[in-house]
Amino acid sequence: MMQRDLTSLTKRELYGMARDRDISGRSSMSRSELVEALRPPPTEPHEDDNPEVEVVEDDFDVDGIGSVPLPGISPEDRAEARARRTALEDRLSQFVDQSRHCSWTSIEGHPCGLPVLAGTDRCGLHGDGSIADRPIPLTGSLGFSSWPTLWRHLTLATYDPDAFGLDPVVAEMTWSVLNRLYYDYFRVEVEGIENVPSNGGAVLVANHGGAAVPYDGAMLALAVMNEAEPPRRVRVIGTEIFNMLPFVSHLYRKVGAAYAGRDDARELLKRGHLLGVFPEGERGFMKPVWEAYRVGRLGRGGFADLAQDAGVPIVPVAIIGSEEVHPAVMVSKRLAQLVRLIFPEQRVEEIAIALNPIPLPIRWKIRFLPPVEPSGDGEPIDGLEQLERVEDVRRSIQTALDDMLAHRTTAF
Amino acid sequence: MERVLVTGAATWTGGNLIRRLSQRDDMAVFAVDDRSPRIRFDADFRKLSLDGLDLARYILEVDPTMVVHLQSVHRTSEEGRRASSEDRILGSLGLFGAIERLTSIRSVIIKSDTAIYGASPRNPSVLAETTRPQGKPSRHQRDLAEMERFIGEARKVHPETVFTTLRFAPIFGPNVGNSISRYLTLPVVPTLLGFDPRLQFIHDRDAVDALEHAIDNPIDGIFNVAADGQMYLSRMLRLGRRIPQPLPGRMFDTALRAMTRFNVPAPDHLKGLMKHGRVTDTTRMHEDFGFTPTHTCRQTVLCGYERIDTNHDAT
């Protein structure tokens, strides 16, 4: 079959294929020699082949000559993503009662008209504020079809953002857009979602990466929104740089993130939210590619202190994918100096340089590890105990990362 | 009979408060300011300079049992106009000096401002009364902080006197024309490109109510006073049907200077507010101070833009 297809091609096309497969001596081969060389290799692929090449061979499609063989997203992946998105929609629509509508009317006379949350009399926007913790699609469906309704509420400002600036409407719109990235592009697989408590606060501590864009924060939040039963919002906290950057400064709040100040974190936990923390911080974010998946120092371990004070568990999270999306080929202190010169308020130590402007389609895996409960007496922990707990968390994340990497066949 | 001395009678809040107080039989109101009041009221008004000994002498002469200090910092600092820093704070210095000598003083109510927290990217999302402000303070913020320090000194001399400090969110509503509300009600509002601050307001009537509440129920302490809820600037302008004009930093500064020319004074702390916003925690106001504003933030904004009836009774 393969043989016949190959023989029907012109020499030029065969040569192109040979170049793609990097067959040595191809330039001096005749047409028949090329056909011979291009035959599917009977031997096993070499063990030291890097995963990228392997995928190229798997996906190799003779009819598709001329198109760039992209690593990753196959039609099966796409079909699976679509199925997962539909399943999510079905699951989420149960939380909304389409038969009744919210009776709220604004003082200027705009009716609300959204369907109510199942078991209550109000919609998510005008109810008891549970929307800040439980992201339920306001119209019952998650997608572009609900955008006109959402847009109306956005422009009429029929609701208040929560104390940290979460705007449920903007958050939902972003959620539906980012789900494309989550299901179709990064094809995130989640394990151990049952370790995330379904009620009350918890601190989710994860390894950090990204070099250019903190995708891991978004993916962590989406993982809990999409997979947890019932869905919950993770309030990821970030440094003050988010407050300084134009456009980011308000968008990151509107989608539910918050500033990583001690007061904010404590207040979020007091209100029973899930707190997403990347204690490696900028150091982890700017990790060069040769240090990927080596969990660095977890900041000063303030999260252990916070969790103990609030009496909430720590859930370590291991994320595979974030540290390869923009592989940093170089880490520059000079460039950071330059940035500081232009933006003196910015506290950047070093800047990672990645060569790819678009993120690589890495297959992500997020594993939620068994929670570390706060010590029973609720007393504040001393420095040594805090260090031990931080080290425990760090080690468990590192072990999980190593395990997931060892069992991974391909990055794409 | 309570003898109440009110400074800053020519301010919007001052005028509204004195008008309210002068209708009551249980108190005699002595109003003071260095310019003529904009709002008519029926009370003993004395026009004298607020930054100097005149005010202190007058206070000793009146011998009030209660002082409501509304013009706590010089209005130049609030409006962003130039005045030497000594001038801007002398009024409060004189006033607290006089208070230290009074014998019958029962309570002192000071109007401060949430601008005391400044605006910094490192400020927490919700500012409590105990929060230490971060970043470089603006001039207005320094003045407010210094004024609040005077209170501490006066408290040492009069431990039995009640000092109530009310940190008001920007006062907004149909009956005020302070610099921030004038700026926000311009037909085209210059905003900072890429920034959408979270803002909090207090309705002008609620502000007067809060002051009256403090007069009737003297409680020692510092309280943030703001309406429930908060509002993104973009949403607020949309509610007010105002057109936002996003400008990059430098051009925004220029626009503010131009506004000052057209008699819309732009305070120097306005840029910080328009960049990082300011939302305060009002738990203490609700629980300890025992005051709940009748208007939510959204209603305040609608009232301020006269989208709903000014005397609308909030439900």
Side-chain angles (χ1 to χ4, degrees):
Chain A
M1 175 84 183
M2 192 74 176
Q3 181 77 24
R4 206 187 59 220
D5 281 347
L6 285 173
T7 48
S8 65
L9 296 170
T10 63
K11 186 182 176 190
R12 198 190 172 86
E13 285 165 338
L14 285 170
Y15 180 74
M17 284 167 68
R19 193 183 48 210
D20 287 344
R21 289 231 219 143
D22 203 15
I23 291 168
S24 58
R26 58 184 179 268
S27 53
S28 58
M29 284 179 184
S30 70
R31 187 162 170 275
S32 54
E33 275 169 341
L34 277 171
V35 170
E36 209 49 43
L38 281 170
R39 257 195 217 152
T43 50
E44 288 291 309
H46 293 297
E47 299 225 331
D48 59 351
D49 266 357
N50 70 46
E52 189 175 335
V53 174
E54 218 173 278
V55 178
V56 171
E57 289 190 354
D58 284 349
D59 283 359
F60 198 80
D61 181 4
V62 185
D63 299 331
I65 289 168
S67 69
V68 184
L70 242 181
I73 305 145
S74 64
E76 294 85 62
D77 284 337
R78 260 178 241 134
E80 197 199 330
R82 210 172 302 124
R84 284 176 78 188
R85 276 208 308 272
T86 321
L88 174 72
E89 285 245 352
D90 291 347
R91 199 159 63 77
L92 289 176
S93 61
Q94 295 166 10
F95 292 97
V96 177
D97 183 357
Q98 293 286 356
S99 63
R100 288 184 302 142
H101 290 270
C102 176
S103 58
W104 184 90
T105 310
S106 76
I107 37 175
E108 324 95 278
H110 300 300
C112 167
L114 287 171
V116 299
L117 295 179
T120 64
D121 294 335
R122 282 292 170 91
C123 67
L125 285 182
H126 307 111
D128 52 0
S130 65
I131 193 87
D133 189 47
R134 295 211 185 291
I136 310 290
L138 297 167
T139 56
S141 74
L142 190 68
F144 293 106
S145 59
S146 63
W147 281 35
T149 320
L150 296 181
W151 188 253
R152 178 175 163 270
H153 285 273
L154 192 68
T155 50
L156 293 177
T158 59
Y159 57 93
D160 276 345
D162 89 335
F164 302 91
L166 165 79
D167 185 321
V169 169
V170 176
E172 191 185 319
M173 289 172 152
T174 321
W175 183 14
S176 66
V177 172
L178 286 184
N179 258 354
R180 295 272 163 176
L181 203 62
Y182 180 88
Y183 286 127
D184 294 71
Y185 199 70
F186 290 148
R187 297 152 293 164
V188 183
E189 281 168 40
V190 175
E191 290 170 42
I193 192 70
E194 65 280 355
N195 289 326
V196 178
S198 58
N199 260 313
V203 183
L204 310 185
V205 178
N207 57 315
H208 203 13
V213 185
Y215 292 105
D216 43 3
M219 291 303 128
L220 173 65
L222 285 176
V224 180
M225 282 163 113
N226 290 338
E227 319 284 345
E229 186 67 46
R232 291 198 68 185
R233 232 184 261 284
V234 180
R235 312 300 292 266
V236 179
I237 53 174
T239 67
E240 68 269 11
I241 288 177
F242 288 99
N243 278 334
M244 297 178 192
L245 295 173
F247 304 103
V248 176
S249 62
H250 57 95
L251 277 175
Y252 94 104
R253 281 182 184 283
K254 286 176 181 170
V255 299
Y259 165 56
R262 199 154 255 274
D263 297 344
D264 279 26
R266 194 169 293 142
E267 187 64 29
L268 280 166
L269 287 178
K270 207 173 94 189
R271 291 172 192 228
H273 291 301
L274 294 176
L275 193 69
V277 191
F278 295 91
E280 281 180 273
E282 195 195 316
R283 265 284 175 71
F285 186 60
M286 302 294 186
K287 234 181 265 176
V289 71
W290 54 89
E291 276 177 27
Y293 305 122
R294 249 180 265 160
V295 185
R297 196 157 58 90
L298 297 183
R300 285 173 231 165
F303 65 87
D305 208 16
L306 269 173
Q308 179 66 23
D309 283 355
V312 298
I314 301 170
V315 182
V317 186
I319 302 178
I320 290 275
S322 59
E323 308 191 15
E324 290 159 315
V325 169
H326 286 288
V329 292
M330 191 183 148
V331 178
S332 163
K333 290 204 164 135
R334 283 278 166 81
L335 201 67
Q337 277 173 0
L338 199 70
V339 169
R340 279 205 300 272
L341 208 67
I342 303 166
F343 305 102
E345 278 184 314
Q346 231 96 323
R347 282 197 296 209
V348 282
E349 296 295 321
E350 46 193 23
I351 285 192
I353 299 161
L355 294 181
N356 53 329
I358 54 165
L360 295 178
I362 306 283
R363 203 181 274 276
W364 284 46
K365 265 199 184 115
I366 301 181
R367 187 184 285 179
F368 295 92
L369 302 169
V372 181
E373 296 293 335
S375 58
D377 46 9
E379 291 284 305
I381 46 175
D382 60 14
L384 194 64
E385 217 172 324
Q386 180 179 333
L387 276 181
E388 274 173 5
R389 200 166 294 179
V390 171
E391 185 50 32
D392 280 352
V393 170
R394 198 197 69 81
R395 205 176 303 122
S396 61
I397 296 176
Q398 185 64 68
T399 314
L401 283 175
D402 292 345
D403 179 55
M404 283 150 87
L405 283 174
H407 287 93
R408 176 167 87 158
T409 50
T410 163
F412 295 99
Chain B
M1 187 80 159
E2 207 79 68
R3 294 163 70 79
V4 185
L5 181 113
V6 184
T7 69
T11 58
W12 296 92
T13 316
N16 289 326
L17 176 72
I18 294 163
R19 189 190 263 186
R20 180 103 49 103
L21 293 182
S22 59
Q23 286 162 3
R24 293 171 45 156
D25 310 326
D26 57 339
M27 49 184 64
V29 181
F30 301 89
V32 181
D33 208 331
D34 58 359
R35 53 185 184 188
S36 302
R38 276 179 277 206
I39 297 174
R40 291 195 175 279
F41 51 78
D42 183 26
D44 183 345
F45 175 73
R46 181 76 70 93
K47 187 170 172 178
L48 47 80
S49 165
L50 286 179
D51 47 349
L53 282 173
D54 291 355
L55 175 64
R57 288 203 192 100
Y58 183 64
I59 292 169
L60 292 174
E61 184 190 319
V62 170
D63 191 19
T65 54
M66 195 177 277
V67 173
V68 183
H69 191 29
L70 298 179
Q71 197 61 64
S72 49
V73 295
H74 200 276
R75 51 176 64 89
T76 53
S77 123
E78 222 171 322
E79 293 178 351
R81 290 196 173 128
R82 287 189 183 283
S84 70
S85 61
E86 290 79 28
D87 285 1
R88 285 185 277 116
I89 205 69
L90 275 180
S92 289
L93 188 59
L95 182 123
F96 285 108
I99 285 172
E100 284 174 25
R101 290 206 196 161
L102 293 176
T103 47
S104 55
I105 187 91
R106 226 166 40 79
S107 89
V108 182
I109 295 151
I110 303 106
K111 175 177 173 283
S112 184
D113 199 302
T114 52
I116 196 166
Y117 301 113
S120 156
R122 294 189 189 101
N123 267 352
S125 307
V126 182
L127 296 148
E129 285 83 350
T130 47
T131 305
R132 252 184 77 219
Q134 306 280 317
K136 188 170 166 278
S138 72
R139 190 165 44 168
H140 187 40
Q141 193 186 340
R142 280 204 306 271
D143 288 351
L144 286 166
E146 193 165 354
M147 190 269 301
E148 290 200 4
R149 262 204 304 283
F150 293 153
I151 302 167
E153 284 163 25
R155 186 177 271 142
K156 276 185 208 147
V157 181
H158 289 293
E160 73 290 353
T161 307
V162 174
F163 287 89
T164 316
T165 310
L166 300 179
R167 290 177 176 167
F168 282 96
I171 299 173
F172 196 66
N175 305 317
V176 287
N178 56 27
S179 52
I180 287 183
S181 71
R182 267 155 86 189
Y183 159 75
L184 287 170
T185 48
L186 288 171
V188 177
V189 181
T191 60
L192 264 171
L193 181 69
F195 290 92
D196 193 3
R198 297 174 305 136
L199 302 173
Q200 240 183 352
F201 297 97
I202 178 93
H203 192 279
D204 51 19
R205 269 177 45 197
D206 285 329
V208 176
D209 284 347
L211 287 166
E212 207 181 356
H213 181 86
I215 290 169
D216 293 336
N217 314 285
I219 297 160
D220 204 279
I222 300 172
F223 306 100
N224 293 328
V225 180
D228 295 333
Q230 50 174 310
M231 188 115 326
Y232 278 106
L233 173 70
S234 60
R235 224 73 74 60
M236 170 179 182
L237 296 179
R238 224 173 275 157
L239 278 184
R241 302 194 173 147
R242 297 303 197 266
I243 302 161
Q245 175 55 65
L247 298 170
R250 292 281 164 80
M251 285 168 79
F252 183 76
D253 292 339
T254 315
L256 292 193
R257 274 201 298 278
M259 271 164 46
T260 313
R261 267 221 189 144
F262 291 104
N263 209 19
V264 183
D268 60 347
H269 54 97
L270 186 67
K271 191 177 178 189
L273 185 68
M274 287 299 117
K275 196 165 187 180
H276 299 300
R278 192 175 299 133
V279 172
T280 56
D281 180 11
T282 53
T283 321
R284 269 205 206 174
M285 173 189 82
H286 285 290
E287 285 170 8
D288 301 344
F289 186 47
F291 174 74
T292 303
T294 50
H295 298 76
T296 65
C297 188
R298 187 169 189 277
Q299 286 165 337
T300 305
V301 167
L302 287 168
C303 286
Y305 286 118
E306 301 187 350
R307 289 278 313 278
I308 55 173
D309 186 9
T310 15
N311 296 315
H312 170 83
D313 279 325
T315 44

Coordinates of all heavy atoms in Angstrom, one line a residue, chain A residues 222-260:
Chain A
L222 N -8.8 26.7 35.8 CA -9.7 26.0 34.9 C -9.9 24.5 35.3 O -11.0 24.0 35.2 CB -9.2 26.1 33.5 CG -9.4 27.4 32.8 CD1 -8.8 27.4 31.4 CD2 -10.9 27.8 32.7
A223 N -8.8 23.9 35.7 CA -8.9 22.5 36.1 C -9.9 22.3 37.2 O -10.7 21.4 37.1 CB -7.5 22.0 36.6
V224 N -9.9 23.2 38.2 CA -10.8 23.0 39.3 C -12.2 23.4 38.9 O -13.2 22.9 39.3 CB -10.3 23.8 40.5 CG1 -11.3 23.7 41.7 CG2 -9.0 23.4 41.0
M225 N -12.3 24.4 38.0 CA -13.6 24.9 37.5 C -14.2 23.8 36.6 O -15.4 23.5 36.7 CB -13.5 26.1 36.7 CG -13.3 27.4 37.5 SD -12.7 28.7 36.4 CE -14.1 29.8 36.3
N226 N -13.4 23.1 35.8 CA -14.0 22.2 34.9 C -14.2 20.8 35.4 O -15.1 20.1 35.0 CB -13.1 22.1 33.6 CG -13.1 23.3 32.8 OD1 -14.0 24.1 32.9 ND2 -12.0 23.5 32.0
E227 N -13.3 20.4 36.4 CA -13.4 19.0 36.8 C -14.0 18.8 38.1 O -14.5 17.7 38.4 CB -11.9 18.4 36.8 CG -11.1 18.8 35.6 CD -11.4 18.1 34.3 OE1 -12.1 17.0 34.3 OE2 -11.0 18.5 33.2
A228 N -13.9 19.8 39.0 CA -14.3 19.5 40.4 C -15.8 19.4 40.4 O -16.5 20.0 39.6 CB -13.9 20.6 41.3
E229 N -16.3 18.7 41.4 CA -17.8 18.5 41.5 C -18.2 18.9 42.9 O -17.8 18.2 43.9 CB -18.1 17.0 41.2 CG -19.6 16.7 41.2 CD -20.3 17.3 40.0 OE1 -19.8 17.2 38.9 OE2 -21.4 17.9 40.3
P230 N -18.9 19.9 43.2 CA -19.3 21.0 42.2 C -18.1 21.9 41.8 O -17.1 21.8 42.5 CB -20.3 21.8 43.1 CG -19.8 21.6 44.5 CD -19.3 20.2 44.6
P231 N -18.3 22.6 40.7 CA -17.2 23.5 40.3 C -16.8 24.5 41.3 O -17.7 25.0 42.0 CB -17.7 24.1 39.0 CG -19.1 24.0 39.1 CD -19.4 22.8 39.8
R232 N -15.5 24.8 41.4 CA -15.1 25.9 42.4 C -14.1 26.8 41.7 O -13.5 26.4 40.7 CB -14.5 25.3 43.6 CG -15.4 24.5 44.5 CD -14.9 24.3 45.8 NE -14.8 25.6 46.6 CZ -14.2 25.7 47.8 NH1 -13.7 24.6 48.3 NH2 -14.2 26.8 48.4
R233 N -14.1 28.0 42.2 CA -13.1 29.0 41.7 C -11.9 28.9 42.5 O -11.9 28.9 43.7 CB -13.8 30.4 41.8 CG -13.8 31.2 40.5 CD -14.3 32.5 40.8 NE -15.8 32.7 40.5 CZ -16.3 32.8 39.3 NH1 -15.5 32.8 38.3 NH2 -17.5 32.9 39.1
V234 N -10.7 29.0 41.8 CA -9.5 29.1 42.5 C -9.0 30.5 42.4 O -9.0 31.1 41.3 CB -8.4 28.2 41.9 CG1 -7.1 28.3 42.6 CG2 -8.8 26.7 41.9
R235 N -8.8 31.2 43.5 CA -8.4 32.6 43.4 C -6.8 32.6 43.4 O -6.2 32.4 44.5 CB -8.9 33.4 44.6 CG -10.4 33.2 44.9 CD -11.2 33.6 43.7 NE -11.2 35.0 43.5 CZ -12.1 35.9 43.9 NH1 -13.1 35.4 44.6 NH2 -12.0 37.1 43.7
V236 N -6.3 32.6 42.2 CA -4.8 32.6 42.1 C -4.3 34.0 42.5 O -4.9 35.0 42.1 CB -4.4 32.3 40.6 CG1 -2.9 32.3 40.5 CG2 -5.0 30.9 40.2
I237 N -3.2 34.0 43.2 CA -2.7 35.3 43.6 C -1.3 35.5 42.9 O -0.6 34.6 42.7 CB -2.5 35.4 45.2 CG1 -1.7 34.3 45.8 CG2 -3.9 35.5 45.8 CD1 -1.4 34.4 47.2
G238 N -1.1 36.8 42.5 CA 0.1 37.1 41.8 C 0.7 38.4 42.4 O 0.2 39.0 43.2
T239 N 2.0 38.6 41.9 CA 2.7 39.7 42.5 C 2.2 41.1 42.0 O 1.3 41.1 41.2 CB 4.2 39.6 42.0 OG1 4.2 39.9 40.6 CG2 4.8 38.3 42.3
E240 N 2.8 42.1 42.5 CA 2.3 43.5 42.3 C 2.5 43.9 40.8 O 2.0 44.9 40.4 CB 2.9 44.5 43.2 CG 4.4 44.7 43.0 CD 5.3 43.8 43.9 OE1 4.7 42.8 44.4 OE2 6.5 44.0 43.9
I241 N 3.3 43.1 40.1 CA 3.6 43.4 38.7 C 2.2 43.4 37.9 O 2.0 44.3 37.0 CB 4.6 42.5 38.1 CG1 6.0 42.8 38.6 CG2 4.6 42.5 36.6 CD1 7.0 41.9 38.2
F242 N 1.3 42.5 38.4 CA 0.0 42.5 37.7 C -0.7 43.8 37.9 O -1.5 44.2 37.1 CB -0.8 41.3 38.3 CG -0.3 40.0 37.8 CD1 0.5 39.2 38.6 CD2 -0.7 39.5 36.6 CE1 0.9 38.0 38.2 CE2 -0.2 38.3 36.1 CZ 0.6 37.5 37.0
N243 N -0.5 44.4 39.1 CA -1.2 45.7 39.4 C -0.6 46.8 38.6 O -1.2 47.9 38.4 CB -1.1 46.0 40.9 CG -2.1 45.3 41.7 OD1 -3.1 44.9 41.2 ND2 -1.8 45.1 42.9
M244 N 0.6 46.7 38.1 CA 1.3 47.8 37.4 C 1.1 47.8 35.9 O 1.1 48.8 35.2 CB 2.8 47.7 37.6 CG 3.2 47.9 39.1 SD 4.9 47.7 39.2 CE 5.1 47.6 40.9
L245 N 0.9 46.6 35.3 CA 0.8 46.5 33.9 C -0.5 47.0 33.4 O -1.6 46.6 33.9 CB 1.0 45.0 33.4 CG 2.3 44.4 33.8 CD1 2.3 42.9 33.4 CD2 3.4 45.0 33.0
P246 N -0.5 47.8 32.3 CA -1.8 48.3 31.7 C -2.5 47.1 31.2 O -1.9 46.1 30.8 CB -1.3 49.2 30.6 CG 0.1 49.3 30.7 CD 0.7 48.4 31.7
F247 N -3.8 47.2 31.2 CA -4.8 46.1 30.7 C -4.8 44.9 31.6 O -5.9 44.4 32.0 CB -4.5 45.7 29.3 CG -4.6 46.9 28.4 CD1 -3.4 47.5 27.9 CD2 -5.8 47.5 28.1 CE1 -3.5 48.6 27.0 CE2 -5.8 48.6 27.2 CZ -4.7 49.2 26.7
V248 N -3.6 44.4 32.0 CA -3.6 43.3 32.9 C -4.2 43.7 34.2 O -4.9 42.9 34.9 CB -2.1 42.8 33.1 CG1 -2.1 41.7 34.1 CG2 -1.6 42.3 31.7
S249 N -3.8 44.9 34.7 CA -4.1 45.3 36.0 C -5.6 45.2 36.4 O -5.9 44.8 37.6 CB -3.7 46.8 36.2 OG -4.5 47.6 35.3
H250 N -6.5 45.4 35.5 CA -7.9 45.2 35.9 C -8.4 43.8 35.5 O -9.2 43.2 36.1 CB -8.8 46.3 35.4 CG -8.8 46.5 34.0 ND1 -9.7 46.0 33.1 CD2 -7.9 47.2 33.2 CE1 -9.4 46.4 31.9 NE2 -8.4 47.1 31.9
L251 N -7.9 43.3 34.3 CA -8.4 42.0 33.8 C -8.1 40.9 34.8 O -8.9 40.0 35.0 CB -7.8 41.8 32.4 CG -8.6 42.4 31.3 CD1 -7.9 42.2 30.0 CD2 -10.0 41.9 31.2
Y252 N -6.9 40.9 35.3 CA -6.6 39.8 36.2 C -7.5 39.7 37.4 O -7.8 38.7 37.9 CB -5.1 39.8 36.5 CG -4.7 40.4 37.8 CD1 -4.4 39.7 39.0 CD2 -4.7 41.8 37.9 CE1 -4.0 40.3 40.1 CE2 -4.3 42.4 39.1 CZ -3.9 41.6 40.2 OH -3.5 42.2 41.4
R253 N -7.9 40.9 37.9 CA -8.9 40.9 39.0 C -10.2 40.5 38.6 O -10.9 39.8 39.3 CB -9.0 42.4 39.5 CG -7.9 42.7 40.4 CD -8.1 44.1 41.0 NE -6.9 44.5 41.7 CZ -6.7 44.1 43.0 NH1 -7.5 43.3 43.5 NH2 -5.6 44.4 43.6
K254 N -10.6 40.9 37.4 CA -12.0 40.6 36.9 C -12.2 39.1 36.7 O -13.3 38.6 36.9 CB -12.3 41.4 35.6 CG -12.5 42.8 35.9 CD -12.8 43.6 34.6 CE -13.0 45.1 34.9 NZ -12.9 45.9 33.7
V255 N -11.1 38.4 36.3 CA -11.3 37.0 36.1 C -11.1 36.2 37.4 O -11.2 35.0 37.4 CB -10.4 36.4 35.0 CG1 -10.6 37.1 33.7 CG2 -8.9 36.6 35.4
G256 N -10.8 36.9 38.5 CA -10.9 36.2 39.8 C -9.5 36.0 40.5 O -9.4 35.4 41.5
A257 N -8.5 36.5 39.9 CA -7.2 36.5 40.6 C -7.1 37.6 41.6 O -7.9 38.5 41.6 CB -6.0 36.6 39.6
A258 N -6.1 37.6 42.4 CA -5.9 38.7 43.4 C -4.4 39.0 43.6 O -3.6 38.2 43.1 CB -6.6 38.3 44.7
Y259 N -4.2 40.0 44.3 CA -2.8 40.4 44.6 C -2.3 39.6 45.7 O -3.0 39.3 46.7 CB -2.8 41.9 44.9 CG -1.5 42.4 45.5 CD1 -0.3 42.1 44.9 CD2 -1.5 43.0 46.8 CE1 0.9 42.5 45.5 CE2 -0.3 43.4 47.3 CZ 0.9 43.2 46.7 OH 2.1 43.5 47.3
A260 N -1.0 39.1 45.6 CA -0.4 38.2 46.6 C 0.1 39.0 47.8 O 1.2 38.9 48.2 CB 0.7 37.4 45.9

